[in-house]
Structure formats: structure tokens, C-alpha cells
Amino acid sequence: MTASAGTPVDTSASTPGPAAASAPAPRPAAGRRRSPYRAALSTPRGAAGLALTCLVVLAGVLAPLLTGHDPTGQSGQGLLAPGAPGHPLGTDDLGRDLLSRVLYGIRADLGVIAVAVPLGAALGCLCALLAAVHPAADTAVQRAFDLVLAFPGLILALAVTAVLGPGRLPVILVVALAEIPVFGRQLRAGILVQRGREYVTAARVGGTSPARLLTRHVLPNAADPLVVQFAVSLTVAVFLEGAMSFLGVGVRPPEPTLGNVLGQAMPYLDRSPHLAAGPLTAVTLLVLGLSLLADALNRETRR
Amino acid sequence: MTDPHSFPPPSPYLSSSAETSAAPAAASAGPARRATLRAAGAGALFLGLGLTGCRSAVAEAERPAAAAGGTARGGTLRVAVNADFTPALLFAQSAQSYQHRLLYNTLTRYDDRLRPQPELATAWSYAKDGRSIRLTLRQGVTYHDGRPFTADDVIFAVRNLQNPVRAAQLRATAAAVTGFEKHGDHALTLRLAHPVANLFDLFEFMIIADRETVEDAVTGRKLNGTGPFTLSRWSPGTGLSLTRYDRYWKPGRPYLDAVELRVVGQADALVSALRTGQSHLSFNVPGKSLALVENAPGLTVTDYATGAGAYYLGVNTTVRPLDDRTVRQALARAVDRDRLLRQSLGGHGLASATPWPTSSPAYSEADRTHYTRDPGRARALLKSAGLGGLDLPLLHLSTPGDTSIAESIQYDLRQAGVRVTLEPTDPATAQKRLIAQSMPALWTMSHGFAQVHPATLAVSAYPFNEAKNTSHFRSPEYTRIVREAWTSTDDGTAAARARYARISRILLDEAFIIDLAVRGQVQVASTRVRGVTLNKFSYLNLDDARLV
């Protein structure tokens, strides 16, 4: 949430004004040059990001094929060291296979962020479009965003779980809620910039209805920062889910998530540090991959 | 000046930091050099302060050791606790009662075999019919403000616990005292509504607070007692500072100059505080972390086999099909107590199907092992009750230790065909639901009160209360036998033992509370600490404690 505020996209987009010189040309010209997204993915940075992200995503998606253990199946063999027969990463305190817990944990995390971030993005964009209709709506939406942004992510999480109790749905809700103002503000800034452009005036003179003008002309041209923001938000969602599960207000146990596997490893950090190594590596790779992707996309779309 | 070695004291850390920050200084000129100098200066200052701090800590650690030859006197004992003192619960049993016996005294204290020993009461005698008890009180005892302790203070203490506002768990026992008769300032007779078997539990539990400042005591402003230490400061959220009371009634005691109770909420930080010597003593190291301190040099781990707490699986008997005791017995047979003890409780405690610790007169080895893990039998019992499978919610505390216990139970029950959905809940809400009797089908928590007279458990602990328990279990026979045990004063006789066996049998057969493991307080202390004891209600006694 806060990470996005520091991205170059945000600052450039939030300074509307006569920056028309570097503005992307309207649609016909965009068709002629290579898609900036594809260009971003072909840079070393983008390719590395994509590879890392794919690696972690595949590990999560293929979890049932990669391990034969039930991630919640306990045994009397607690705290086995890595390399134990049948348990390449060892076992946790309750004798559960750590590899399967990490892989299924990735799966659970992906399940949460794959629903929550698009949901937050869609709702945020919807709010921004609504706000663009009338100044009064703009004020209402902006103040509502202020209200949500006033809560730091974790406080918001605790408030939501205090009402709904822990579980998967509250985590999705918290992540989505945290993302709504971020996407809303991002798109609003884009709309403000685009609205002053000549092609918009031309369309308006040509008799285009305000709704069509907003969705068919302005929105596609203000979308680039949103793509970058989407990648950034995925990393924020990984952290938020991890923090909530770590604090015991995330997905219900015994279902593993990267956060709660890490949380359960904490009392053993001294004796069995390998318990924390698995989820930490997965989180690091996923976040690094997504960050590299976001960075590569940002560079290419601003070119 | 840029040479780090010119700064006292020379340090490899300082020189490396100066070198790394010197690299960008070469690239850009003036201001960076100034920044480097500033950074180096600040680094030296920090290091200097740090070393001074370390030196004083080391000196402090060495000082009493050097003086250790004879009886070590003086020193400050630092106790790490995981929760702050709650003055509003001064007269109720709360999670943090360690300071009670430091600031106050009780009338009597139990020895290891539950025989009362004199504290503020020096002698006592029951009337033949068991309906009154005459107490002789200690003379020459003064409160911290200088006021002498008299029989009126005892009368006030009992009446105070009878007050529902104080929420004392032993209120039923206090309420059985119906009259007082003073014989001068240091003797009195308590008249009882009926013979009370657990009267000495009350005397072990009831702190004798100053009657004139009691309202200040429950707000934490003034804690005026007769105990070995006086309160010098309570910093909410941080802890209590206590200093030696020079006019304490035990001659020459306490040895310590001061005691500090420091709140260390995080389990990892608490373990670190013990390992680094920042704290000398704690009873709050969670089971999972005990292995860390067991082999640590300079620390000793002691089990108090008094069973101040027992972990259990509670069953709401109003939820179908848990109203059928066969189903409850199936649950009792499904859990693997030994594995739970080993994996979730760090191996400290006793896997047990009954609530009693070995020190209790109600303890029996046969009852303890009455239910052992047998998923096949559990399935058969469920089948005999006409059930193929079950789906039940299980409330548990959301702390890591309790989550681990809940996960362990969940897995075991699944082996017997019972699917369980975990409901992690914060401790305050869980306690509220326990008292309000609004628990879901299953819950797991821990209970106290099995470490004292067996009747106390059934008349004072929320899960076991015969008249009103969280499981909504009612049985005329349970009520009758509990009342009988409570109103008989024939401890140690065959009849008393038969009654306790009957209570255990009902608890096992009805299985409305399925006990899993009995666990006393586990004390983790520095090897320098001697003479620490704990009473049955976890009041810390440091009368004879020393730092050697």
C-alpha cells in the first residue's frame, strides 16, 4: 500500500499539468510500436522477475505433484532435520512435512492474492471512474479513501478480523480494502492528466457521451501506471497476508500459509532455523520476482 | 581525525564503518567528508556508551558473586512476567499473581502435602461439629504504613472476598463464613454455615490487605500489605518495582534488597532476557521454548508438580450429538495425550485423563491412564451412538502454543472420524465466553484449582462448577457428591478418598471436561537464585530468596 507511493509512476502521474511533451501518443500511434509490456518482459530485469515469479507460482500450483505428503498430516516425528528420509526439508514441531507445508503455503498465498488484488484494483478503478463524473462524487470518494488510508494495513487487518473472526475471507477483504484507495488515487491522477489532453476535447466536441469518453478514451490511456501498480500490489499483498497469518489472525490453522508456517517456526529459530528457511525463501523469491517485474514494467511504460 | 584508531576505544567495527563510508567520500568531495566524520564520531560515542553499559552490567553481575562466601544479602532480583499486574483482579485469581505474596501475607500456606503451615495465623482449632474455627494471629506484624495487623483485618479480608465485585473464585467458600467473634486483637473465631472442607484453600488464597486503603489497592494506587516488600512503583505495561520492608515480621528476612517484575510479553524476548541474564527468574516460558533454556548455561529449570494448570478439551453438552456421553467418551479416547505433551508442551507435565496432579489426595494412577489414545475404539463408540462422522467447531486461544495444542487435538479427532474446524480467539474473548457459558461445541483451554482441595475444583472453577459450568452439564449425583466433599472435614480418611474417587469417576464417565495434561508451573531461574518458592495459587514467596 505504502510501497506504491514511492514508485516513480505514482509521482509522475500525480503531477498533472503541461507535461504533454512526454505524453504517450493516442491509440493509433501505440499500435505501431512494440507493446511496452512485451518490451519490459524481454529486458533482463523483467525476464528475471518473470522467471522468479513463475518458479514460485509453479511450485505452488504443482504442489500436489511435487510432494506426496498431506500438509496437515501429523506424526510422532517432530522437528526432523532437513534431509530426513521422505522429508527433504524436515518436519515441523507436530511432525508435519515441511516441504509440503511450504508448497501448499505458497498455493494458499497465491489463492488469496489472486482474488484480493484484482478485486481491490477493480473496486478502486470503479471508485475513480465514479469520482470523475461529478466534483461532489470526487470529494466523497477521496474522503472515503482518506479514511481507509488512515488505518495502517495491520490495524485495518485487526479491525476487520475483530468483526469477522479469522479466516480466508477476512484476509481477502483486508488486502482488497487496502488496495482500493491505492488504485483509486492512481487512476484518478491519470484521468486528471488525460482529461486536459486535446484528443479528449476533440472527442467531446465530436459528441461522445461522458461515459464513453471516460471508458473508451481516457481509461485506456491512463492504464499503464495501473499495470505497474498491480505488480507492486501483489508484493504488498504477500506481505499483508504473511503478517496477518504470522499474528494468528489470517487463514485458519491448520491450513498452511507462508505467514503461519513462519510464525510457527519462531519458537524454534534457535534450535531448528531450517523451519523458517523454507517460507522465508519462498516469500523472498516471490516478492523479488514481482518487484523486478514491476520495475521493468515501470521503466518501459514511461519510456 | 579521520583515522578511526585515534578514537578511544579502538574497535574493528568502528574502523570498518569508517572505511565503508569513506568510499563515497572519495567520489564527492567536501560535505561527504564532514558526514563521514560525523558518522565516525557518532559511532564512537555509541560504542563508548555501549561498552560503558556492558561494563556496568558485568560489574553488577560480578558484585554479588564476589561477595558470595557467606549468606548473600542484598541485590535486586529481576523477574520476567508475560502479563502486567491487574489491580482490578487483586482479589481474584488472575494470570499474574506473582506479586501477591511479596506485598501481602496470607493466613496459612500449604506444604507439599497440602498440610497448612502458619503464616499470619499461628494456630487454629476446629470446633467439634466443624461449624467454627478459632484462629490465633501472629503478633508484632505491621502494615507497610506502620499500622499493626489485628483480627479486624482478617474479618475485613473475609468480608471483602464475599463481595461479588471482587470476583474471587473462592467466594463460595468465603460466603460460608457467617459470623465473626473477636477474642482480643490477635484471636478470633469464624462461624461457618456448614463444615467447609476447603477452608484452608481460602486461607492460602486470601491476601490480608489493608482495610483502610482497599479502594486504592484495586486501582493500583497504593498496595499496603504486611509482606516482605513494599511497592515503590507500578508502571503500567512495564512492571512493578518492590523494595525490602525493613520491619517485616520474619526476623532477618527478606535477604533481597529489591525485586523487579518486568513485563516481557513476547515469548522470544522473555527467553532472551533469561539467557542474557537481564532477568533472573520466570515462570512464563512457553512449553515450546523450554528446550532453549534447558541446556542453556547458567539457567536451571524446575517443575512445580503442584499442577497449577491443566490443559483440557471442553465439551458443550447442549450441542447435539455431544449430549450423548458415549460421543464424549469417544472424543476422550481419540486424543493422544502423550504426543500432545511431548510436541506442544515441551515434555513438561503429566499426560492425564483426570485434572488432579500427583500431589492431590484425589490423584490415582488408574484414573490418570483411564483414557489413552485408541482411534479404533473411538470410532466404534461413535458408531454405537449411530454416528458415521461428525463436524464440530473448536475454540482455542490464538497464541502459538495454544494453536499448536488445538491443531494436535484436531488431527487426533480426525483420525477417529471427527472433523473439527478451529476457531482461533483472543484470550480475553475466550475467557468471557467461558464465564458466560457461551462456548461452541468444543473448546480447549487450561484450568487451575486442581492443585488444592479436590472440592475447590468443583465449587470454584468455571469448567467444573457443579451448579453452573461452561459445559452446561448437570447431574444430581455430581452435585450431591461435590456438596458432600465440600461440607465434610474428614480429610485423609477412607471415606474422603472414596468420595474423591467417586468425583473422578463421574468426571471420567461423563467426560464433559476431557483432561489432557496436568502441568504445574515451570520455573526457569538463573543458577545464582536460591530459595524461591511458589504457593498453590502461584504467589511468589521470596522470604528466603538470595542471589549468590
Side-chain angles (χ1 to χ4, degrees), chain B residues 482-511:
Chain B
V482 164
R483 290 261 149 198
E484 207 178 298
W486 189 38
T487 54
S488 309
T489 48
D490 55 355
D491 272 347
T493 64
R497 280 196 294 276
R499 268 196 300 275
Y500 303 150
R502 188 75 208 114
I503 292 177
S504 296
R505 183 53 50 183
I506 293 174
L507 292 178
L508 288 170
D509 285 348
E510 295 295 343

Side-chain angles (χ1 to χ4, degrees), chain B residues 58-296:
Chain B
V58 170
E60 196 190 342
E62 279 169 355
R63 187 171 49 84
T71 45
R73 271 195 170 277
T76 300
L77 183 78
R78 292 186 295 270
V79 185
V81 292
N82 64 356
D84 197 9
F85 162 57
T86 316
L89 296 178
L90 185 65
F91 299 104
Q93 196 188 21
S94 65
Q96 214 280 69
S97 304
Y98 300 109
Q99 63 284 323
H100 283 34
R101 177 57 179 73
L102 303 177
L103 294 162
Y104 299 97
N105 283 116
T106 54
L107 285 179
T108 59
R109 74 182 150 81
Y110 280 129
D111 67 6
D112 289 340
R113 298 182 57 198
L114 288 181
R115 289 172 308 201
Q117 304 295 321
E119 284 270 288
L120 289 188
T122 51
W124 46 87
S125 57
Y126 266 114
K128 277 206 176 78
D129 61 359
R131 286 175 180 271
S132 69
I133 185 168
R134 186 189 162 101
L135 301 172
T136 309
L137 303 178
R138 191 176 294 278
Q139 303 201 10
V141 177
T142 56
Y143 282 92
H144 299 152
D145 65 357
R147 188 176 69 77
F149 157 74
T150 65
D152 287 321
D153 294 303
V154 178
I155 296 172
F156 168 78
V158 176
R159 287 204 172 128
N160 185 44
L161 288 202
Q162 291 172 346
N163 183 354
V165 174
R166 303 293 183 227
Q169 284 91 335
L170 279 154
R171 191 161 74 87
T173 305
V177 180
T178 50
F180 306 90
E181 199 179 309
K182 267 172 62 177
H183 315 287
D185 271 350
H186 294 97
L188 81 161
T189 300
L190 304 183
R191 304 229 166 273
L192 307 170
H194 51 77
V196 179
N198 65 344
L199 198 61
F200 284 93
D201 288 3
L202 178 71
F203 294 166
E204 171 102 355
F205 177 81
M206 181 174 70
I207 52 171
I208 310 294
D210 173 27
R211 59 184 190 273
E212 288 162 12
T213 57
V214 70
E215 292 308 325
D216 284 340
V218 290
T219 53
R221 279 198 294 270
K222 187 174 184 188
L223 299 169
N224 187 22
T226 57
F229 295 93
T230 62
L231 178 73
S232 37
R233 196 177 66 255
W234 172 46
S235 316
T238 307
L240 294 159
S241 298
L242 314 176
T243 39
R244 185 178 192 275
Y245 177 44
D246 293 329
R247 295 173 61 199
Y248 187 49
W249 53 268
K250 258 189 203 177
R253 300 292 197 281
Y255 293 126
L256 296 167
D257 283 339
V259 177
E260 280 188 20
L261 283 95
R262 288 183 184 170
V263 181
V264 188
Q266 285 291 322
D268 306 316
L270 197 143
V271 170
S272 298
L274 287 165
R275 291 174 65 176
T276 55
Q278 287 172 35
S279 296
H280 300 114
L281 176 69
S282 183
F283 297 90
N284 299 129
V285 177
K288 287 180 165 208
S289 307
L290 279 171
L292 286 177
V293 289
E294 264 170 342
N295 302 318

Side-chain angles (χ1 to χ4, degrees), chain B residues 460-482:
Chain B
S460 292
Y462 300 116
F464 292 92
N465 194 305
E466 47 81 23
K468 193 180 165 197
N469 55 58
T470 317
S471 303
H472 301 275
F473 172 77
R474 302 278 177 286
S475 141
E477 200 201 348
Y478 183 52
T479 302
R480 184 185 60 76
I481 195 81
V482 164

